Amino acid sequence: MLTDAHITIIKSTIPLLENAGPELTSYFYKRMFSQNPELQDIFNMSNQHTGRQQVALFEAIAAYAKNIENLLVLTTAVERIANKHTSFNIQADHYAIVGHHLIETLRELAPEAFTSEVEEAWGSAYQFLAQIFIKREDEIYQTNANTTGGWTGKRAFKIIDKIIESKLVKSFILEPVDKQPVIDFTPGQYLGVEVIPTGSDYKEIRQYSLSDKPNGKTYRISVKRETIGVPGIVSNFLHDGIAIGDVINVNAPAGDFFFVDRAAPVVLLSAGVGITPMQSMLETLAQNNYQFPVHYLHACENEEQHSFNQRVQSLTADKNWQQTTWYRDEISENKNIEHGVMDFSSKSLPLSDGDFYLCGPIGFMQFAKQQLLTLGVCETRVHYEVFGPHASL
């Protein structure tokens, strides 16, 4: 049980955490993977190499310590993380392993400060938080299991089609091997996909946004081939190593970023492969004959990298919805395509009552959000998704 004394001690260790910084979580992951190498079948090791996961975990631990007296402010973060955990099929016993290595990390990095009282306080705090996640994740698993087309754990899906959407993006149509229905999802959510890439020693799980409207029979994900920096081990394997007819394991749809019908205008903003959840939203809005204005704004490098171009033009023209794309390094004669970076100043957007959905590189979303706030959009109407470990805009 988490007591007032525990809370006081936890808060007193905040300076210790801040001084340690992400080095604390880097040490933690190295310790855990050396003693529990099987967890490398679950964690995204590419994010380990880039350091993004270490930073994200450190920020989460620091936020928990700082807000331990008022955990309601962490509700959104808990929901986001719990959804991501279910896409990895995280189970209750994984929390015991993580908790053990976290406590031992604190002990080994700060032996003088890590007294028995501090150990007891952090042990209780960790168990308290772990139970919150375990309970919420169990609710998600149970909902998936009890909903038509749902399942828990892995389910085998066959690749029944591969479609080139642009120079870097391919779509994969997934059909369950058992030919049974699949659970519906809310546009904006993602699938957890498990593969064993050629030459890899471990299973790799990645989350890819669903890029079409629900149909109860199949799913579509659209994957960008990652080529900048360290090539994406999974994205390149999906592009080159997976063929039509191959079977992969899939976890049920998840994610706390999704379209919510608030009976208001909608603005879909994306850059690069961030177009994928927006495409799912657009397809669904079109199918449902959404009765409020829809604006579809996208940014990419050039025509070669412009995914879903013809489809978007068709959907928006049929509904008389507004759509504009910005090419950063190419000039187009298409009246719906502008040159340069996305600029809202010349657009007639529903600034006072619209809901704005953002997805793309973090730098782009920070830039777009700041533009919107400067124009007077209420921050509560700006909703966003970060691919990979979460980061605040």
Side-chain angles (χ1 to χ4, degrees):
M1 184 175 114
L2 192 60
T3 67
D4 289 343
H6 291 150
I7 290 172
T8 299
I9 292 172
I10 293 296
K11 293 181 76 69
S12 74
T13 63
I14 291 174
L16 175 66
L17 294 176
E18 291 178 333
N19 288 335
E23 290 184 11
L24 183 150
T25 45
S26 295
Y27 184 96
F28 157 79
Y29 278 120
K30 289 176 182 177
R31 187 185 202 285
M32 184 172 68
F33 291 141
S34 68
Q35 297 188 26
N36 292 91
E38 72 279 4
L39 294 183
Q40 294 177 86
D41 282 328
I42 298 176
F43 283 82
N44 183 330
M45 299 311 294
S46 293
N47 286 334
Q48 293 293 321
H49 296 318
T50 64
R52 290 184 65 192
Q53 188 63 55
Q54 292 90 328
V55 172
L57 178 60
F58 171 75
E59 291 178 348
I61 293 172
Y64 179 46
K66 292 177 180 178
N67 294 284
I68 197 166
E69 292 176 295
N70 182 23
L71 294 181
L72 286 177
V73 302
L74 300 179
T75 299
T76 299
V78 168
E79 185 66 14
R80 180 180 64 247
I81 295 169
N83 271 270
K84 183 63 71 71
H85 283 179
T86 64
S87 73
F88 284 102
N89 196 32
I90 297 295
Q91 299 297 314
D93 56 358
H94 291 130
Y95 283 94
I97 298 173
V98 170
H100 166 73
H101 290 292
L102 179 60
I103 295 299
E104 292 304 311
T105 293
L106 293 171
R107 187 200 314 280
E108 291 168 9
L109 290 185
E112 295 181 359
F114 200 69
T115 64
S116 59
E117 291 81 7
V118 172
E119 178 177 353
E120 181 187 351
W122 267 104
S124 297
Y126 176 81
Q127 289 301 322
F128 182 80
L129 184 61
Q131 287 305 313
I132 292 175
F133 280 113
I134 290 169
K135 180 177 183 294
R136 179 62 188 126
E137 289 158 20
D138 185 62
E139 291 172 350
I140 296 173
Y141 289 134
Q142 290 303 316
T143 297
N144 288 339
N146 296 327
T147 302
T148 300
W151 73 95
T152 57
K154 303 172 187 177
R155 186 175 178 185
F157 279 73
K158 180 185 293 187
I159 310 294
I160 63 171
D161 202 3
K162 292 175 68 173
I163 304 164
I164 296 175
E165 305 291 0
S166 64
K167 180 180 180 180
L168 296 177
V169 175
K170 285 184 181 179
S171 287
F172 300 79
I173 311 299
L174 312 178
E175 179 183 69
V177 171
D178 59 22
K179 301 289 187 178
Q180 297 302 303
V182 297
I183 190 172
D184 281 345
F185 58 92
T186 306
Q189 292 188 303
Y190 50 77
L191 287 181
V193 174
E194 179 189 283
V195 296
I196 304 178
T198 304
S200 176
D201 294 328
Y202 301 100
K203 299 172 185 175
E204 298 281 354
I205 301 175
R206 296 292 187 274
Q207 290 72 32
Y208 293 110
S209 296
L210 290 143
S211 60
D212 204 351
K213 57 186 176 294
N215 62 33
K217 298 178 181 179
T218 61
Y219 293 128
R220 182 179 77 182
I221 58 173
S222 300
V223 179
K224 176 188 175 185
R225 182 197 297 273
E226 296 294 345
T227 59
I228 298 176
V230 179
I233 184 172
V234 175
S235 65
N236 281 276
F237 177 70
L238 288 172
H239 273 247
D240 301 329
I242 289 287
I244 294 174
D246 286 349
V247 174
I248 62 175
N249 288 321
V250 175
N251 293 319
D256 69 322
F257 170 77
F258 46 77
F259 172 73
V260 177
D261 187 348
R262 298 179 175 89
V266 172
V267 183
L268 306 177
L269 298 162
S270 63
V273 76
I275 197 172
T276 52
M278 303 307 167
Q279 192 65 26
S280 177
M281 293 183 193
L282 184 67
E283 296 279 359
T284 304
L285 291 169
Q287 181 185 52
N288 295 341
N289 293 311
Y290 194 64
Q291 297 303 302
F292 297 87
V294 174
H295 300 256
Y296 190 96
L297 309 181
H298 179 62
C300 60
E301 298 299 315
N302 48 50
E303 185 177 11
E304 276 191 328
Q305 295 187 28
H306 190 175
S307 301
F308 307 113
N309 185 8
Q310 296 303 317
R311 179 62 175 165
V312 169
Q313 291 192 48
S314 173
L315 289 174
T316 53
D318 288 348
K319 302 293 182 182
N320 199 29
W321 291 342
Q322 302 302 308
Q323 72 101 353
T324 304
T325 298
W326 284 260
Y327 289 168
R328 190 167 70 169
D329 59 9
E330 186 175 288
I331 296 176
S332 172
E333 296 182 358
N334 188 315
K335 65 182 179 62
N336 293 319
I337 297 175
E338 299 185 10
H339 178 247
V341 297
M342 189 176 287
D343 181 9
F344 305 140
S345 60
S346 63
K347 303 301 170 185
S348 179
L349 299 178
L351 302 175
S352 62
D353 60 346
D355 278 288
F356 295 76
Y357 294 85
L358 279 65
C359 191
I362 292 175
F364 160 77
M365 291 195 293
Q366 291 171 331
F367 167 76
K369 181 181 178 181
Q370 187 56 55
Q371 278 199 72
L372 294 174
L373 297 181
T374 300
L375 290 170
V377 175
C378 178
E379 189 165 7
T380 60
R381 288 186 171 271
V382 179
H383 321 283
Y384 64 95
E385 171 79 315
V386 174
F387 292 153
H390 186 75
S392 297
L393 299 187

